[in-house]
Amino acid sequence: MPEQKLVGEDLAAYWAGRPTSTIRRWGLEGRITRHEDHGRRKNGVLYDLDELPVAERDSDTKALIKTAKTPKVMKRDPLQAAA
């Protein structure tokens, strides 16, 4: 199994070109996976870069050109959805 590239919400937001609130919402909606790790992060939530869509940025200045598209909701276990 490939190693996960887990990052905090700040880096995830930069990667996607979206606000941190959007990254948190995507995690709560099941669009991306929230990884709990209270030992490494103050809020205990990390996100996998492989699941996040990438924003388009200028190759020289890294200025945001286009935000990443909103990911689709991942398939959920019916029992988990009821919780």
Side-chain angles (χ1 to χ4, degrees):
M1 186 169 180
E3 186 177 328
Q4 294 175 324
K5 300 171 199 140
L6 300 179
V7 297
E9 68 184 29
D10 292 343
L11 186 55
Y14 177 82
W15 185 264
R18 300 292 189 116
T20 55
S21 59
T22 300
I23 301 301
R24 288 191 300 269
R25 182 173 47 82
W26 285 353
L28 293 172
E29 291 173 349
R31 296 178 187 279
I32 56 177
T33 305
R34 292 170 41 99
H35 299 271
E36 302 285 330
D37 187 354
H38 296 283
R40 289 175 46 190
R41 297 289 299 172
K42 181 171 59 172
N43 66 356
V45 179
L46 297 169
Y47 302 95
D48 189 347
L49 282 182
D50 290 336
E51 290 182 3
L52 288 166
V54 182
E56 186 180 337
R57 294 187 177 273
D58 182 272
S59 61
D60 294 326
T61 65
K62 304 300 181 205
L64 183 62
I65 296 173
K66 188 175 181 183
T67 60
K69 292 184 178 181
T70 302
K72 295 182 188 237
V73 175
M74 293 187 271
K75 221 175 191 180
R76 287 191 159 191
D77 180 353
L79 296 176
Q80 192 178 31

Coordinates of all heavy atoms in Angstrom, one line a residue:
M1 N 0.9 -1.2 0.0 CA 0.0 0.0 0.0 C 0.9 1.2 0.0 O 1.8 1.3 0.8 CB -0.9 0.0 1.2 CG -1.9 1.1 1.3 SD -3.1 0.7 2.6 CE -4.1 2.1 2.4
P2 N 0.6 2.2 -0.9 CA 1.5 3.4 -0.9 C 1.3 4.2 0.3 O 0.3 4.3 1.0 CB 0.9 4.2 -2.1 CG -0.3 3.6 -2.5 CD -0.4 2.2 -1.9
E3 N 2.4 4.9 0.7 CA 2.4 5.8 1.9 C 1.5 7.0 1.6 O 1.5 7.6 0.6 CB 3.8 6.2 2.2 CG 3.9 7.0 3.5 CD 5.3 7.4 3.8 OE1 6.2 6.6 3.4 OE2 5.5 8.4 4.4
Q4 N 0.7 7.4 2.7 CA -0.2 8.5 2.6 C 0.7 9.8 2.8 O 1.6 9.8 3.6 CB -1.3 8.5 3.6 CG -2.2 7.3 3.3 CD -3.3 7.2 4.4 OE1 -3.0 7.4 5.6 NE2 -4.5 6.9 4.0
K5 N 0.3 10.9 2.1 CA 0.9 12.2 2.3 C 0.0 13.0 3.1 O -0.9 13.7 2.5 CB 1.2 12.8 0.9 CG 2.2 12.0 0.1 CD 2.2 12.6 -1.3 CE 2.8 11.5 -2.2 NZ 2.1 11.5 -3.5
L6 N 0.0 12.9 4.4 CA -0.9 13.6 5.3 C -0.4 15.0 5.6 O 0.8 15.2 6.0 CB -1.1 12.8 6.6 CG -1.7 11.4 6.4 CD1 -1.9 10.7 7.7 CD2 -3.0 11.5 5.6
V7 N -1.3 16.0 5.5 CA -1.0 17.4 5.8 C -2.1 18.0 6.6 O -3.2 17.6 6.6 CB -0.7 18.2 4.5 CG1 0.4 17.6 3.7 CG2 -2.0 18.2 3.6
G8 N -1.7 19.2 7.2 CA -2.7 19.9 8.0 C -3.6 20.7 7.0 O -3.4 20.8 5.8
E9 N -4.6 21.3 7.6 CA -5.6 22.0 6.8 C -5.0 23.2 6.0 O -5.5 23.6 5.0 CB -6.9 22.4 7.6 CG -6.6 23.5 8.6 CD -7.8 23.8 9.5 OE1 -8.7 22.9 9.7 OE2 -7.9 24.9 9.9
D10 N -4.0 23.9 6.6 CA -3.4 25.1 5.9 C -2.8 24.7 4.6 O -3.0 25.3 3.6 CB -2.4 25.7 6.8 CG -3.0 26.4 8.1 OD1 -4.2 26.6 8.1 OD2 -2.3 26.7 9.0
L11 N -2.0 23.6 4.6 CA -1.3 23.2 3.4 C -2.3 22.6 2.4 O -2.2 22.8 1.2 CB -0.2 22.1 3.7 CG 0.6 21.7 2.6 CD1 1.2 22.9 1.8 CD2 1.7 20.7 3.0
A12 N -3.3 21.9 3.0 CA -4.4 21.3 2.1 C -5.1 22.5 1.4 O -5.5 22.4 0.2 CB -5.4 20.5 2.9
A13 N -5.4 23.5 2.1 CA -6.1 24.7 1.5 C -5.2 25.3 0.4 O -5.7 25.7 -0.6 CB -6.4 25.7 2.6
Y14 N -3.9 25.5 0.7 CA -3.0 26.0 -0.3 C -3.0 25.1 -1.6 O -3.1 25.6 -2.7 CB -1.6 26.2 0.2 CG -0.6 26.7 -0.8 CD1 -0.6 28.1 -1.1 CD2 0.2 25.8 -1.5 CE1 0.3 28.6 -2.0 CE2 1.1 26.3 -2.5 CZ 1.1 27.7 -2.7 OH 2.0 28.1 -3.7
W15 N -2.9 23.8 -1.4 CA -2.8 22.9 -2.4 C -4.1 23.0 -3.4 O -3.9 22.9 -4.6 CB -2.8 21.5 -1.8 CG -2.6 20.3 -2.8 CD1 -3.6 19.5 -3.3 CD2 -1.4 19.8 -3.3 NE1 -3.1 18.6 -4.1 CE2 -1.7 18.7 -4.1 CE3 -0.1 20.2 -3.1 CZ2 -0.8 18.0 -4.8 CZ3 0.9 19.4 -3.8 CH2 0.5 18.4 -4.6
A16 N -5.2 23.1 -2.7 CA -6.5 23.2 -3.5 C -6.9 24.6 -3.9 O -7.8 24.8 -4.7 CB -7.6 22.6 -2.7
G17 N -6.2 25.6 -3.4 CA -6.5 27.0 -3.7 C -7.8 27.4 -3.1 O -8.5 28.3 -3.6
R18 N -8.2 26.8 -2.0 CA -9.5 27.1 -1.3 C -9.2 27.5 0.1 O -8.2 27.3 0.7 CB -10.3 25.8 -1.3 CG -10.7 25.3 -2.7 CD -11.6 26.2 -3.4 NE -12.1 25.6 -4.6 CZ -13.4 25.3 -4.8 NH1 -14.3 25.6 -3.9 NH2 -13.8 24.7 -5.9
P19 N -10.2 28.2 0.8 CA -10.0 28.5 2.2 C -10.0 27.3 3.1 O -10.5 26.2 2.7 CB -11.3 29.4 2.5 CG -12.0 29.6 1.2 CD -11.4 28.7 0.2
T20 N -9.4 27.4 4.3 CA -9.4 26.3 5.2 C -10.8 25.8 5.6 O -11.0 24.6 5.8 CB -8.6 26.6 6.5 OG1 -9.2 27.8 7.0 CG2 -7.1 26.8 6.2
S21 N -11.8 26.7 5.6 CA -13.1 26.4 6.0 C -13.7 25.4 4.9 O -14.5 24.5 5.2 CB -14.0 27.6 6.1 OG -14.0 28.4 4.9
T22 N -13.3 25.6 3.7 CA -13.8 24.7 2.6 C -13.2 23.3 2.8 O -13.9 22.3 2.6 CB -13.4 25.3 1.2 OG1 -14.0 26.5 1.1 CG2 -13.9 24.3 0.1
I23 N -11.9 23.2 3.1 CA -11.3 21.9 3.4 C -12.0 21.2 4.5 O -12.3 20.0 4.4 CB -9.8 22.1 3.7 CG1 -9.1 22.8 2.5 CG2 -9.1 20.8 4.0 CD1 -9.2 22.1 1.1
R24 N -12.2 21.9 5.6 CA -12.9 21.3 6.7 C -14.3 20.8 6.3 O -14.8 19.7 6.7 CB -13.1 22.3 7.9 CG -11.7 22.5 8.6 CD -11.9 23.3 9.9 NE -12.6 24.6 9.7 CZ -11.9 25.7 9.5 NH1 -10.6 25.7 9.4 NH2 -12.5 26.9 9.3
R25 N -15.0 21.6 5.5 CA -16.4 21.2 5.1 C -16.3 20.0 4.2 O -17.1 19.1 4.3 CB -17.1 22.4 4.3 CG -18.5 22.1 3.9 CD -19.2 23.3 3.3 NE -18.4 24.1 2.4 CZ -18.3 23.8 1.1 NH1 -18.9 22.7 0.6 NH2 -17.5 24.5 0.3
W26 N -15.4 20.0 3.2 CA -15.2 18.8 2.4 C -15.0 17.5 3.2 O -15.5 16.5 2.9 CB -14.0 19.0 1.4 CG -14.3 19.9 0.3 CD1 -15.5 20.5 -0.1 CD2 -13.3 20.4 -0.7 NE1 -15.3 21.3 -1.2 CE2 -14.0 21.2 -1.6 CE3 -12.0 20.1 -0.9 CZ2 -13.4 21.8 -2.6 CZ3 -11.4 20.7 -1.9 CH2 -12.0 21.6 -2.8
G27 N -14.2 17.7 4.3 CA -14.0 16.5 5.2 C -15.2 16.1 5.9 O -15.5 14.9 6.0
L28 N -16.0 17.0 6.4 CA -17.3 16.7 7.1 C -18.3 16.1 6.1 O -19.1 15.3 6.5 CB -17.8 17.9 7.8 CG -16.9 18.4 8.9 CD1 -17.4 19.8 9.5 CD2 -16.9 17.4 10.0
E29 N -18.3 16.6 4.8 CA -19.3 16.1 3.9 C -18.9 14.7 3.3 O -19.7 14.1 2.6 CB -19.4 17.1 2.7 CG -20.1 18.4 3.1 CD -20.0 19.4 2.0 OE1 -19.3 19.3 1.0 OE2 -20.7 20.5 2.2
G30 N -17.7 14.3 3.6 CA -17.2 13.0 3.0 C -16.6 13.1 1.6 O -16.5 12.1 0.9
R31 N -16.2 14.3 1.2 CA -15.6 14.5 -0.1 C -14.1 14.1 0.0 O -13.5 13.6 -1.0 CB -15.7 15.9 -0.5 CG -17.2 16.3 -0.8 CD -17.3 17.7 -1.2 NE -18.7 18.1 -1.3 CZ -19.5 17.9 -2.3 NH1 -19.1 17.2 -3.3 NH2 -20.8 18.3 -2.3
I32 N -13.5 14.3 1.1 CA -12.1 13.9 1.4 C -12.1 13.2 2.8 O -13.0 13.5 3.6 CB -11.1 15.1 1.4 CG1 -11.5 16.2 2.3 CG2 -11.0 15.6 -0.1 CD1 -10.6 17.3 2.4
T33 N -11.1 12.4 3.0 CA -11.0 11.7 4.3 C -10.3 12.5 5.4 O -9.3 13.2 5.1 CB -10.2 10.4 4.1 OG1 -10.8 9.6 3.1 CG2 -10.2 9.5 5.4
R34 N -10.9 12.5 6.6 CA -10.3 13.2 7.7 C -9.5 12.1 8.5 O -10.1 11.1 8.9 CB -11.4 13.8 8.6 CG -12.2 14.9 8.0 CD -13.4 15.3 8.9 NE -13.2 15.3 10.3 CZ -12.9 16.3 11.0 NH1 -12.9 17.5 10.5 NH2 -12.7 16.2 12.3
H35 N -8.3 12.3 8.7 CA -7.4 11.4 9.4 C -7.2 12.0 10.8 O -6.6 13.1 10.9 CB -6.1 11.2 8.7 CG -6.3 10.6 7.3 ND1 -6.3 9.2 7.1 CD2 -6.4 11.2 6.1 CE1 -6.5 9.0 5.8 NE2 -6.6 10.1 5.2
E36 N -7.6 11.3 11.8 CA -7.4 11.8 13.2 C -6.0 11.5 13.7 O -5.6 10.3 13.6 CB -8.5 11.1 14.1 CG -9.9 11.4 13.7 CD -10.4 12.8 14.1 OE1 -9.9 13.3 15.0 OE2 -11.3 13.2 13.3
D37 N -5.3 12.5 14.2 CA -4.0 12.3 14.8 C -3.7 13.4 15.7 O -3.1 14.4 15.4 CB -2.9 12.3 13.6 CG -1.5 11.9 14.2 OD1 -1.4 11.8 15.4 OD2 -0.6 11.8 13.4
H38 N -4.2 13.2 17.0 CA -4.0 14.3 18.0 C -2.6 14.4 18.5 O -2.3 15.4 19.1 CB -5.0 14.0 19.1 CG -6.4 14.1 18.7 ND1 -7.1 15.3 18.5 CD2 -7.3 13.1 18.4 CE1 -8.3 15.1 18.1 NE2 -8.5 13.8 18.1
G39 N -1.7 13.4 18.2 CA -0.4 13.5 18.6 C 0.5 14.5 17.8 O 1.4 15.1 18.2
R40 N 0.1 14.6 16.5 CA 0.9 15.5 15.6 C 0.3 16.9 15.4 O 1.0 17.8 15.0 CB 1.0 14.8 14.2 CG 1.9 13.6 14.2 CD 2.0 12.8 13.0 NE 2.1 13.7 11.8 CZ 2.0 13.2 10.5 NH1 1.7 11.9 10.3 NH2 2.1 14.0 9.5
R41 N -1.0 17.0 15.5 CA -1.7 18.2 15.2 C -2.5 18.7 16.4 O -3.1 17.9 17.1 CB -2.7 18.1 14.0 CG -2.0 17.7 12.7 CD -1.2 18.8 12.2 NE -2.1 20.0 11.9 CZ -1.7 21.1 11.5 NH1 -0.4 21.4 11.4 NH2 -2.5 22.1 11.3
K42 N -2.6 20.0 16.6 CA -3.4 20.6 17.7 C -4.9 20.2 17.6 O -5.5 19.7 18.5 CB -3.2 22.1 17.7 CG -4.0 22.8 18.8 CD -3.7 24.2 19.0 CE -4.0 25.0 17.7 NZ -3.9 26.4 17.8
N43 N -5.4 20.3 16.4 CA -6.9 20.0 16.2 C -7.0 18.5 15.9 O -8.1 18.0 15.8 CB -7.5 20.8 15.1 CG -7.0 20.6 13.7 OD1 -6.1 19.8 13.5 ND2 -7.6 21.3 12.8
G44 N -5.9 17.8 15.6 CA -6.0 16.3 15.4 C -6.5 15.9 14.1 O -6.8 14.7 13.9
V45 N -6.6 16.7 13.1 CA -7.1 16.3 11.8 C -6.1 16.6 10.7 O -5.5 17.7 10.6 CB -8.4 17.1 11.4 CG1 -8.9 16.7 10.1 CG2 -9.5 16.8 12.5
L46 N -5.8 15.6 9.9 CA -4.9 15.7 8.7 C -5.7 15.2 7.5 O -6.7 14.5 7.6 CB -3.7 14.8 8.9 CG -2.8 15.2 10.1 CD1 -1.8 14.1 10.4 CD2 -2.1 16.5 9.9
Y47 N -5.2 15.7 6.3 CA -5.8 15.3 5.0 C -4.8 14.7 4.1 O -3.6 15.1 4.1 CB -6.5 16.6 4.4 CG -7.5 17.2 5.3 CD1 -7.2 18.3 6.2 CD2 -8.8 16.7 5.3 CE1 -8.1 18.8 7.0 CE2 -9.7 17.3 6.2 CZ -9.4 18.3 7.0 OH -10.3 18.9 7.9
D48 N -5.2 13.8 3.3 CA -4.3 13.1 2.3 C -4.2 14.0 1.0 O -5.2 14.2 0.4 CB -4.8 11.7 2.0 CG -3.8 10.9 1.2 OD1 -2.8 11.4 0.7 OD2 -4.1 9.7 1.2
L49 N -3.0 14.4 0.6 CA -2.8 15.1 -0.6 C -3.3 14.4 -1.8 O -3.7 15.0 -2.8 CB -1.3 15.5 -0.8 CG -0.8 16.7 0.1 CD1 0.6 17.0 -0.3 CD2 -1.7 17.9 -0.1
D50 N -3.2 13.1 -1.8 CA -3.6 12.3 -3.0 C -5.1 12.4 -3.2 O -5.6 12.1 -4.3 CB -3.2 10.8 -2.8 CG -1.7 10.7 -3.0 OD1 -1.0 11.5 -3.6 OD2 -1.2 9.7 -2.4
E51 N -5.9 12.7 -2.2 CA -7.4 12.9 -2.3 C -7.8 14.3 -2.7 O -8.9 14.5 -3.2 CB -8.1 12.5 -1.0 CG -8.0 11.0 -0.7 CD -8.8 10.7 0.6 OE1 -9.4 11.6 1.2 OE2 -8.7 9.6 1.0
L52 N -6.9 15.2 -2.5 CA -7.2 16.6 -2.8 C -7.0 17.0 -4.2 O -6.0 16.7 -4.8 CB -6.4 17.5 -1.9 CG -6.7 17.5 -0.4 CD1 -5.6 18.2 0.4 CD2 -8.0 18.3 -0.2
P53 N -8.0 17.7 -4.8 CA -7.7 18.2 -6.2 C -6.7 19.4 -6.1 O -6.6 20.1 -5.1 CB -9.1 18.8 -6.6 CG -9.8 19.1 -5.3 CD -9.3 18.1 -4.3
V54 N -5.9 19.5 -7.2 CA -4.8 20.5 -7.2 C -5.3 21.8 -7.9 O -5.8 21.7 -9.0 CB -3.6 19.9 -7.9 CG1 -2.4 20.9 -7.9 CG2 -3.2 18.6 -7.3
A55 N -5.0 22.9 -7.3 CA -5.3 24.2 -7.9 C -4.2 24.5 -9.0 O -3.1 24.0 -9.0 CB -5.2 25.3 -6.9
E56 N -4.6 25.3 -10.0 CA -3.7 25.7 -11.0 C -3.0 27.0 -10.5 O -3.6 28.0 -10.1 CB -4.5 26.0 -12.3 CG -3.6 26.3 -13.5 CD -4.4 26.6 -14.8 OE1 -5.6 26.1 -14.8 OE2 -3.9 27.2 -15.6
R57 N -1.7 27.0 -10.6 CA -0.8 28.1 -10.1 C 0.2 28.5 -11.2 O 0.6 27.6 -11.9 CB -0.1 27.8 -8.8 CG -1.1 27.6 -7.6 CD -0.4 27.4 -6.3 NE -1.4 27.3 -5.2 CZ -1.9 28.3 -4.6 NH1 -1.6 29.5 -4.9 NH2 -2.8 28.1 -3.6
D58 N 0.6 29.7 -11.2 CA 1.6 30.2 -12.1 C 2.9 29.5 -11.7 O 3.3 29.4 -10.5 CB 1.8 31.7 -11.9 CG 2.8 32.3 -12.8 OD1 4.0 32.3 -12.4 OD2 2.5 32.7 -13.9
S59 N 3.7 29.0 -12.7 CA 4.9 28.2 -12.4 C 6.0 29.1 -11.8 O 6.9 28.6 -11.1 CB 5.4 27.5 -13.7 OG 5.7 28.5 -14.7
D60 N 6.0 30.4 -12.1 CA 7.1 31.2 -11.6 C 6.7 31.9 -10.2 O 7.5 31.8 -9.3 CB 7.4 32.3 -12.6 CG 8.0 31.8 -13.8 OD1 8.8 30.8 -13.8 OD2 7.7 32.4 -14.9
T61 N 5.6 32.5 -10.1 CA 5.2 33.2 -8.9 C 4.4 32.4 -7.9 O 4.2 32.8 -6.8 CB 4.4 34.5 -9.3 OG1 3.1 34.0 -9.9 CG2 5.2 35.3 -10.3
K62 N 3.8 31.3 -8.4 CA 2.9 30.4 -7.6 C 1.6 31.1 -7.2 O 0.9 30.7 -6.4 CB 3.6 29.9 -6.3 CG 4.9 29.2 -6.5 CD 4.7 27.9 -7.4 CE 6.0 27.2 -7.6 NZ 6.0 26.4 -8.7
A63 N 1.3 32.2 -8.0 CA 0.0 32.9 -7.8 C -1.1 32.0 -8.3 O -1.0 31.3 -9.3 CB 0.0 34.2 -8.5
L64 N -2.2 32.0 -7.6 CA -3.3 31.2 -7.9 C -4.0 31.7 -9.2 O -4.3 32.8 -9.4 CB -4.4 31.3 -6.8 CG -5.6 30.4 -6.9 CD1 -5.3 29.0 -6.9 CD2 -6.6 30.7 -5.8
I65 N -4.1 30.7 -10.1 CA -4.8 31.0 -11.4 C -6.2 30.5 -11.4 O -7.2 31.2 -11.7 CB -4.0 30.4 -12.6 CG1 -2.6 31.0 -12.7 CG2 -4.8 30.5 -13.9 CD1 -1.7 30.3 -13.7
K66 N -6.4 29.3 -10.9 CA -7.7 28.7 -10.9 C -7.8 27.7 -9.7 O -6.9 26.9 -9.5 CB -8.0 27.9 -12.2 CG -9.3 27.4 -12.4 CD -9.5 26.8 -13.7 CE -10.9 26.3 -13.9 NZ -11.1 25.6 -15.2
T67 N -8.9 27.9 -8.9 CA -9.1 27.0 -7.8 C -9.4 25.6 -8.2 O -9.8 25.3 -9.4 CB -10.2 27.5 -6.9 OG1 -11.4 27.5 -7.6 CG2 -9.9 28.8 -6.3
A68 N -9.1 24.6 -7.4 CA -9.4 23.2 -7.7 C -10.9 23.0 -7.7 O -11.7 23.6 -7.0 CB -8.7 22.3 -6.7
K69 N -11.3 22.0 -8.5 CA -12.7 21.6 -8.5 C -13.1 20.9 -7.3 O -12.3 20.3 -6.6 CB -13.0 20.6 -9.7 CG -12.8 21.3 -11.1 CD -13.2 20.3 -12.2 CE -13.0 21.0 -13.5 NZ -13.4 20.1 -14.6
T70 N -14.4 21.0 -6.9 CA -14.9 20.4 -5.7 C -15.0 18.9 -6.0 O -15.5 18.4 -7.0 CB -16.3 20.9 -5.4 OG1 -16.3 22.3 -5.2 CG2 -16.9 20.2 -4.2
P71 N -14.4 18.1 -5.1 CA -14.4 16.6 -5.3 C -15.8 16.1 -5.0 O -16.6 16.7 -4.2 CB -13.4 16.1 -4.2 CG -13.2 17.2 -3.2 CD -13.6 18.4 -3.9
K72 N -16.1 15.0 -5.6 CA -17.4 14.3 -5.4 C -17.4 13.6 -4.1 O -16.4 13.3 -3.5 CB -17.7 13.3 -6.5 CG -17.8 13.9 -7.9 CD -18.1 12.8 -8.9 CE -18.0 13.5 -10.2 NZ -19.1 13.4 -11.1
V73 N -18.6 13.4 -3.5 CA -18.8 12.7 -2.3 C -18.4 11.3 -2.5 O -18.8 10.6 -3.4 CB -20.2 12.8 -1.7 CG1 -20.4 12.0 -0.5 CG2 -20.6 14.3 -1.5
M74 N -17.5 10.8 -1.6 CA -17.1 9.4 -1.7 C -18.2 8.5 -1.3 O -19.1 8.8 -0.5 CB -15.9 9.2 -0.8 CG -14.6 9.9 -1.3 SD -13.2 9.5 -0.4 CE -13.2 10.7 0.9
K75 N -18.2 7.2 -1.7 CA -19.2 6.2 -1.3 C -19.0 6.0 0.1 O -18.0 5.8 0.7 CB -18.9 4.9 -2.1 CG -20.1 4.3 -2.6 CD -19.7 3.1 -3.4 CE -20.9 2.6 -4.1 NZ -20.7 1.4 -4.9
R76 N -20.2 6.0 0.8 CA -20.2 5.8 2.3 C -20.9 4.5 2.6 O -21.8 4.0 1.9 CB -20.9 6.9 3.0 CG -20.1 8.2 3.0 CD -20.8 9.1 3.9 NE -19.9 10.1 4.3 CZ -20.1 11.0 5.2 NH1 -21.2 11.0 5.9 NH2 -19.2 11.9 5.6
D77 N -20.4 3.9 3.7 CA -21.1 2.8 4.3 C -22.5 3.2 4.8 O -22.6 4.2 5.5 CB -20.2 2.3 5.5 CG -20.8 1.0 6.2 OD1 -21.9 0.6 5.8 OD2 -20.1 0.5 7.0
P78 N -23.5 2.5 4.4 CA -24.9 2.9 4.8 C -25.0 3.1 6.4 O -25.7 4.0 6.8 CB -25.8 1.8 4.3 CG -25.0 1.0 3.4 CD -23.6 1.3 3.6
L79 N -24.4 2.2 7.1 CA -24.4 2.4 8.6 C -23.7 3.6 9.1 O -24.1 4.3 10.0 CB -23.8 1.1 9.3 CG -24.5 -0.2 9.0 CD1 -23.8 -1.3 9.6 CD2 -26.0 -0.1 9.5
Q80 N -22.6 4.0 8.4 CA -21.9 5.2 8.8 C -22.7 6.4 8.4 O -22.7 7.4 9.2 CB -20.6 5.2 8.0 CG -19.6 6.2 8.5 CD -18.3 6.2 7.8 OE1 -18.2 5.8 6.6 NE2 -17.2 6.5 8.5
A81 N -23.4 6.4 7.3 CA -24.2 7.6 6.9 C -25.4 7.9 7.9 O -25.8 9.0 8.1 CB -24.8 7.3 5.5
A82 N -25.9 6.8 8.6 CA -27.0 7.0 9.5 C -26.5 7.6 10.8 O -27.3 8.2 11.6 CB -27.6 5.7 9.8
A83 N -25.2 7.6 11.1 CA -24.7 8.0 12.4 C -24.7 9.5 12.5 O -24.8 10.3 11.6 CB -23.3 7.5 12.6

